[in-house]
Amino acid sequence: MTQTQPLSPRAFEQALRDKGAYYHIHHPYHIAMHNGQATREQIQGWVANRFYYQTSIPLKDAAIMANCPHPDVRRKWVQRILDHDGHGGGDGGIEAWLRLGEAVGLKREALLSDDMVLPGVRFAVDAYVNFARRANWQEAACSSLTELFAPQIHQARLDTWPGHYQWIEAEGYDYFRSRLSQANRDVEHGLQLALEYCDSVEKQQRMLEILQFKLDILWSMLDAMSMAYELKRPPYHTVTTGSAWHKTRLV
Ligand SMILES: O=C(O)c1cc(C(=O)O)c2c(n1)C(=O)C(=O)c1cc(C(=O)O)[nH]c1-2
């Protein structure tokens, strides 16, 4: 039956939350990391590839702000950029992620060079940034709502990784700890925007589709990592043992 009336705000919020069934917490790569079955190379590969996501988030948030004509929204949204880039002399999330890299045995330069970033990860992350550039600001803003499910995944890492991976240095966990409160605050704002904006059946359905698009991005990143670090099939593995893929941000 075709839906003619929009869902109530409460029912729509529930429909957004139900998308958690597809969160990357359920990806086999993530499950292996959670269960202590990931090798050092797999953890390092994940940290190095996720760094590309971390450094792209402020680009994505700046694109949203560039398209948003409302000072009150921008005033709140800018906090996301400050969280990652740091402000007032304090380090931000990007620096914390670099420390995570060091804690898992990677050199800062290795992360900063993007050398390990697999094409599949790059394409997925670039799709997120480009979506934020093109979409209207409300749709782009609400695509961050996978963060609804993020505190759980950060907490699970804090609970299980120190026991499983004793070789990871303790300072590495600061990033996950800091995101627990930041993500909850972001979600509160993002949810409020989504509930206000999605006042028709069409907008609600489109927003659910956008959230799925974002879930697809996160899942696809881990698919690329599975190919490279679990199945040992990085791009061009039939041709070379080297990493021939492109290494620079082209878009
Ligand atoms: O570690 C994770 O699993 C995870 C997932 C997500 C997410 O759901 O997009 C984010 C983060 N972490 C994160 O640390 C973060 O800063 C972040 C920002 C955003 C966003 O879409 O604006 N997602 C996420």
Side-chain angles (χ1 to χ4, degrees), residues 23-25 30 46 50 53-54 57 60-61 64 77 80 84 97 128 140-141 143-151 153-154 157 175-176 179 182-183 186 214-215 218:
Y23 199 46
H24 61 175
I25 201 169
H30 212 282
W46 178 77
R50 261 293 299 267
Y53 188 71
Q54 302 305 130
I57 292 286
K60 182 270 300 181
D61 286 319
I64 294 171
W77 206 267
R80 297 178 185 233
H84 286 279
W97 198 277
Y128 189 28
S143 64
S144 68
L145 279 177
T146 47
E147 282 210 275
L148 276 170
F149 321 119
I153 210 169
H154 293 309
R157 292 176 193 134
Y175 180 81
F176 303 135
R179 283 310 294 172
Q182 291 172 356
D186 290 354
K214 172 70 177 303
L215 290 160
L218 295 172

Side-chain angles (χ1 to χ4, degrees), residues 234-237 239-245 247:
Y236 314 112
H237 66 279
V239 182
T240 174
T241 52
S243 57
W245 55 83
K247 305 283 168 28

Side-chain angles (χ1 to χ4, degrees), residues 118-156:
L118 298 160
V121 169
R122 200 180 272 277
F123 297 144
V125 174
D126 288 350
Y128 189 28
V129 177
N130 285 323
F131 175 74
R133 289 183 175 136
R134 289 191 323 269
N136 71 42
W137 70 268
Q138 293 96 333
E139 290 189 347
C142 298
S143 64
S144 68
L145 279 177
T146 47
E147 282 210 275
L148 276 170
F149 321 119
Q152 186 195 345
I153 210 169
H154 293 309
Q155 186 63 57

